[in-house]
Amino acid sequence: MEKGSFDMYDVVTSGYMSIDRIVKVDSPLKVGRTSIILNSDNTRPYYGGCPINVSYIMAKLGMKPLPILRVGEDNDTLGFLKYLKDANVPLNGLKTIENESSSNCYIVSDRDNNHVTIFYPGAMDAKYASELPDEYFEDTRLALITVGSYNDNREFYSKCQKYDIPIVFGTKLDYDAFPVSFLKEILLSSKIIFSNENEREEINSLLGISEITELFKMGKAELIVTTLGEQGSEFFEKTEGGIIHKNIKVCPAKNFVDATGAGDSYIAGFLYGYLKGYGTEASCQMGSVMASFIIEAVGCTTNAPDLARFNQRLEEYKRNL
């Protein structure tokens, strides 16, 4: 590919993709016993993975994300590629691995919501990691780091450093993907950090700090956002006048079905607002609104709205604040 052949991207993303199948069983899995499957859609593939969830949702809103990923040559991949194309997700960052399958996962849950997850890394396995083309990074506004293999994470991070791209870290405390020294490096180099409450506490412990805001003095962080489940979210923002802290109310869903992917959708909604020039509070509100759509259906992007639906609910949400 020739230098300069790429248009500007709003965000370039890294991390695992996955083709998931959800299997609900009548009784807990036990060696020597047959568990009856309850859901007739157990063979339906759901497409996801943190970078895919964020990229798909942002593309549905008219943004231009670039997920960097590897896929296999299996039949499931054909459906995955159509899914991305239908949402206008750019595929420039895609690489096909011959004689391999795309990453896939089986999530088995019983009536008590106990889960067993079986994951095959496939084309996203670390053994297929390679140097990334500079073209992906020469003209992009932000870079989102999520969980992937260590080799892929390290290469992606080094390119971000080379081109001085502001880093957004979607915290995943996977110490195979992010060994402690590398995780600390990313935390200190990120401009925006997203986490849930448990992840925030572990970050504090890891860095030897009592409050997450101490991170502002240690590295490049300017904004830290924590999702709080049913309690909404909160953000801490470093400004010339001091640290701003605000709580964001949760946006009520029409009905609750499945929380899987809610955190990724919050990031997508936030980044949409942030890249459009909205303030931090307004961007967090957009994250809350986007998450309300995703929890209304099974699958991380099944109920992802277009811009018109998103704006309609956003206005309803703001009227009720």
Short mmCIF file of all heavy atoms in Angstrom, two decimals, residues 253 288-297 303-306 309-311 313-314:
data_model
loop_
_atom_site.label_atom_id
_atom_site.label_comp_id
_atom_site.label_asym_id
_atom_site.label_seq_id
_atom_site.Cartn_x
_atom_site.Cartn_y
_atom_site.Cartn_z
N ALA A 253 -32.94 1.64 30.30
CA ALA A 253 -33.25 0.84 29.11
C ALA A 253 -34.75 0.57 29.06
O ALA A 253 -35.43 0.62 30.09
CB ALA A 253 -32.48 -0.47 29.16
N SER A 288 -23.61 6.59 28.26
CA SER A 288 -24.71 5.99 29.03
C SER A 288 -25.90 5.65 28.14
O SER A 288 -26.49 4.58 28.25
CB SER A 288 -25.14 6.95 30.14
OG SER A 288 -26.17 6.40 30.92
N VAL A 289 -26.22 6.55 27.23
CA VAL A 289 -27.34 6.32 26.32
C VAL A 289 -27.06 5.13 25.41
O VAL A 289 -27.92 4.27 25.20
CB VAL A 289 -27.64 7.59 25.49
CG1 VAL A 289 -28.63 7.28 24.36
CG2 VAL A 289 -28.19 8.69 26.40
N MET A 290 -25.85 5.06 24.86
CA MET A 290 -25.52 3.95 23.97
C MET A 290 -25.60 2.62 24.71
O MET A 290 -26.13 1.63 24.19
CB MET A 290 -24.13 4.14 23.38
CG MET A 290 -23.74 3.06 22.38
SD MET A 290 -24.92 2.91 21.00
CE MET A 290 -24.53 4.42 20.09
N ALA A 291 -25.12 2.58 25.95
CA ALA A 291 -25.17 1.34 26.72
C ALA A 291 -26.60 0.87 26.94
O ALA A 291 -26.88 -0.33 26.98
CB ALA A 291 -24.45 1.52 28.06
N SER A 292 -27.53 1.82 27.06
CA SER A 292 -28.93 1.45 27.30
C SER A 292 -29.52 0.68 26.12
O SER A 292 -30.39 -0.17 26.30
CB SER A 292 -29.77 2.71 27.58
OG SER A 292 -30.00 3.47 26.40
N PHE A 293 -29.05 0.96 24.92
CA PHE A 293 -29.51 0.20 23.75
C PHE A 293 -28.98 -1.23 23.78
O PHE A 293 -29.72 -2.19 23.52
CB PHE A 293 -29.03 0.88 22.45
CG PHE A 293 -29.83 2.07 22.02
CD1 PHE A 293 -29.37 3.34 22.29
CD2 PHE A 293 -31.03 1.92 21.34
CE1 PHE A 293 -30.08 4.47 21.88
CE2 PHE A 293 -31.76 3.03 20.92
CZ PHE A 293 -31.29 4.31 21.20
N ILE A 294 -27.70 -1.36 24.09
CA ILE A 294 -27.03 -2.65 23.95
C ILE A 294 -27.57 -3.68 24.93
O ILE A 294 -27.67 -4.88 24.60
CB ILE A 294 -25.52 -2.47 24.12
CG1 ILE A 294 -24.98 -1.54 23.02
CG2 ILE A 294 -24.80 -3.81 24.08
CD1 ILE A 294 -25.35 -1.94 21.60
N ILE A 295 -27.96 -3.26 26.13
CA ILE A 295 -28.44 -4.23 27.13
C ILE A 295 -29.87 -4.68 26.87
O ILE A 295 -30.39 -5.52 27.60
CB ILE A 295 -28.32 -3.65 28.56
CG1 ILE A 295 -29.23 -2.44 28.76
CG2 ILE A 295 -26.87 -3.30 28.87
CD1 ILE A 295 -29.22 -1.90 30.18
N GLU A 296 -30.48 -4.16 25.82
CA GLU A 296 -31.85 -4.54 25.50
C GLU A 296 -31.95 -5.79 24.62
O GLU A 296 -33.06 -6.22 24.28
CB GLU A 296 -32.57 -3.38 24.81
CG GLU A 296 -32.81 -2.19 25.73
CD GLU A 296 -33.39 -0.98 25.02
OE1 GLU A 296 -33.49 -1.00 23.77
OE2 GLU A 296 -33.75 -0.01 25.70
N ALA A 297 -30.82 -6.37 24.24
CA ALA A 297 -30.85 -7.55 23.36
C ALA A 297 -29.62 -8.41 23.63
O ALA A 297 -28.60 -7.93 24.13
CB ALA A 297 -30.89 -7.13 21.89
N ASN A 303 -28.45 -4.59 19.07
CA ASN A 303 -29.39 -3.47 19.12
C ASN A 303 -28.70 -2.13 18.97
O ASN A 303 -29.22 -1.10 19.40
CB ASN A 303 -30.16 -3.50 20.46
CG ASN A 303 -31.44 -2.68 20.41
OD1 ASN A 303 -32.17 -2.71 19.41
ND2 ASN A 303 -31.72 -1.94 21.46
N ALA A 304 -27.53 -2.13 18.33
CA ALA A 304 -26.82 -0.86 18.12
C ALA A 304 -27.66 0.06 17.24
O ALA A 304 -28.10 -0.33 16.15
CB ALA A 304 -25.47 -1.12 17.46
N PRO A 305 -27.90 1.29 17.68
CA PRO A 305 -28.79 2.19 16.93
C PRO A 305 -28.07 2.95 15.83
O PRO A 305 -26.83 3.09 15.85
CB PRO A 305 -29.24 3.17 18.02
CG PRO A 305 -28.03 3.29 18.90
CD PRO A 305 -27.42 1.89 18.94
N ASP A 306 -28.86 3.44 14.88
CA ASP A 306 -28.30 4.42 13.95
C ASP A 306 -28.34 5.79 14.62
O ASP A 306 -28.82 5.93 15.76
CB ASP A 306 -29.05 4.42 12.61
CG ASP A 306 -30.54 4.72 12.74
OD1 ASP A 306 -30.96 5.28 13.79
OD2 ASP A 306 -31.29 4.42 11.81
N ARG A 309 -31.95 7.14 15.85
CA ARG A 309 -32.46 6.51 17.07
C ARG A 309 -31.65 6.93 18.29
O ARG A 309 -32.20 7.17 19.37
CB ARG A 309 -32.41 4.98 16.94
CG ARG A 309 -33.45 4.36 16.03
CD ARG A 309 -33.27 2.85 15.99
NE ARG A 309 -33.56 2.24 17.30
CZ ARG A 309 -32.97 1.15 17.76
NH1 ARG A 309 -32.01 0.55 17.04
NH2 ARG A 309 -33.28 0.65 18.93
N PHE A 310 -30.36 7.02 18.11
CA PHE A 310 -29.48 7.42 19.21
C PHE A 310 -29.82 8.84 19.68
O PHE A 310 -29.98 9.08 20.88
CB PHE A 310 -28.03 7.35 18.74
CG PHE A 310 -27.03 7.84 19.76
CD1 PHE A 310 -26.74 7.09 20.88
CD2 PHE A 310 -26.38 9.05 19.57
CE1 PHE A 310 -25.82 7.54 21.82
CE2 PHE A 310 -25.47 9.52 20.50
CZ PHE A 310 -25.18 8.75 21.63
N ASN A 311 -29.94 9.76 18.74
CA ASN A 311 -30.24 11.14 19.10
C ASN A 311 -31.61 11.29 19.76
O ASN A 311 -31.78 12.11 20.67
CB ASN A 311 -30.15 12.04 17.87
CG ASN A 311 -28.71 12.36 17.48
OD1 ASN A 311 -27.82 12.35 18.33
ND2 ASN A 311 -28.48 12.66 16.21
N ARG A 313 -33.20 9.07 21.67
CA ARG A 313 -33.12 8.64 23.07
C ARG A 313 -32.25 9.59 23.89
O ARG A 313 -32.53 9.83 25.07
CB ARG A 313 -32.59 7.21 23.17
CG ARG A 313 -32.62 6.70 24.62
CD ARG A 313 -32.31 5.22 24.73
NE ARG A 313 -33.31 4.38 24.09
CZ ARG A 313 -33.34 3.05 24.17
NH1 ARG A 313 -32.43 2.42 24.93
NH2 ARG A 313 -34.26 2.35 23.55
N LEU A 314 -31.22 10.13 23.27
CA LEU A 314 -30.36 11.08 23.98
C LEU A 314 -31.17 12.30 24.43
O LEU A 314 -31.02 12.76 25.57
CB LEU A 314 -29.21 11.52 23.07
CG LEU A 314 -28.25 12.57 23.64
CD1 LEU A 314 -27.52 12.05 24.88
CD2 LEU A 314 -27.23 12.99 22.56
#
